């Protein structure tokens, strides 16, 4: 890359954006989950976009560069485990935090989620306060300033 860098290029390198609100993708095939979850997240100050299956979620993630992905496990076309594995395998999205949110709550389900690369796992039905707390922790952890220190030297 040539110097000087534009602000947009520097932000792109560190995975940051100039959006005024953090963007969350909610991937779930249940309209009821979208009606329940989206208002909670919007009330917390996030911008939210929805997907109804795993393939749509991956396309939306490529287009939008979100700050967090919340995915159900059981979805058509591509399940939440597949979404998570695809995100973590791609260097462009490996840093992206993923919160799995599913009615599958056995220890083996949670283990499978974390093995797929999930950063956190919530069992449905979700308590709004718990969702808000987990999302806040994941989004704050994804901010470049909270992850690493960067020294830029320029003449």
């Amino acid at each position: 890359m040539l110097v000087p860098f534009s602000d947009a290029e520097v932000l792109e390198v560190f995975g940051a954006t100039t959006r005024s609100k953090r963007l969350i993708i909610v991937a779930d095939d249940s309209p009821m989950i979208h009606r329940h979850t989206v208002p909670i997240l919007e009330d917390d100050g996030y911008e939210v976009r929805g997907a109804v299956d795993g393939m749509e979620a991956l396309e939306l993630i490529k287009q939008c560069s979100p700050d967090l992905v919340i995915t159900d496990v059981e979805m058509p076309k591509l399940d939440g485990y597949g979404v998570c594995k695809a995100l973590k395998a791609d260097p462009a999205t490996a840093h992206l935090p993923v919160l799995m949110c599913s009615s599958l709550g056995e220890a083996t389900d949670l283990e499978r989620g974390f093995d797929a690369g999930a950063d956190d796992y919530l069992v449905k039905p979700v308590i709004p306060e718990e969702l808000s707390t987990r999302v806040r922790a994941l989004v704050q952890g994804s901010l470049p300033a909270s992850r690493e220190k960067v020294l830029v030297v320029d003449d």
Side-chain angles (χ1 to χ4, degrees):
M1 205 178 278
L2 298 174
V3 177
F5 304 107
S6 71
D7 292 346
E9 290 169 325
V10 171
L11 291 172
E12 182 180 333
V13 167
F14 294 109
T17 69
T18 56
R19 285 191 294 260
S20 61
K21 292 183 176 185
R22 298 290 173 200
L23 175 63
I24 298 174
I25 302 293
V26 175
D28 199 301
D29 60 332
S30 168
M32 182 181 75
I33 295 299
H34 286 272
R35 284 193 307 271
H36 171 73
T37 305
V38 171
I40 294 167
L41 297 170
E42 288 177 340
D43 286 348
D44 286 344
Y46 301 105
E47 179 182 345
V48 184
R49 297 200 188 157
V52 296
D53 64 60
M55 295 303 290
E56 182 182 354
L58 290 177
E59 285 302 314
L60 193 56
I61 291 162
K62 284 180 191 174
Q63 294 170 12
C64 303
S65 299
D67 299 289
L68 172 68
V69 174
I70 300 174
T71 183
D72 185 20
V73 170
E74 300 175 303
M75 294 185 294
K77 297 186 182 175
L78 182 64
D79 67 14
Y81 301 127
V83 169
C84 193
K85 286 179 184 176
L87 293 174
K88 299 302 180 175
D90 183 349
T93 56
H95 69 282
L96 186 60
V98 177
L99 170 61
M100 286 198 169
C101 189
S102 176
S103 58
L104 301 176
E106 297 294 321
T108 55
D109 301 315
L110 275 71
E111 184 177 345
R112 189 169 172 206
F114 288 116
D115 286 348
D119 296 279
D120 203 350
Y121 195 112
L122 275 175
V123 178
K124 296 176 186 173
V126 172
I127 299 165
E129 294 80 15
E130 187 173 5
L131 176 66
S132 294
T133 299
R134 302 276 188 101
V135 166
R136 185 174 33 259
L138 288 168
V139 169
Q140 288 174 347
S142 70
L143 298 175
S146 66
R147 282 196 326 251
E148 56 202 338
K149 302 272 188 240
V150 177
L151 173 64
V152 177
V153 179
D154 187 8
D155 63 353

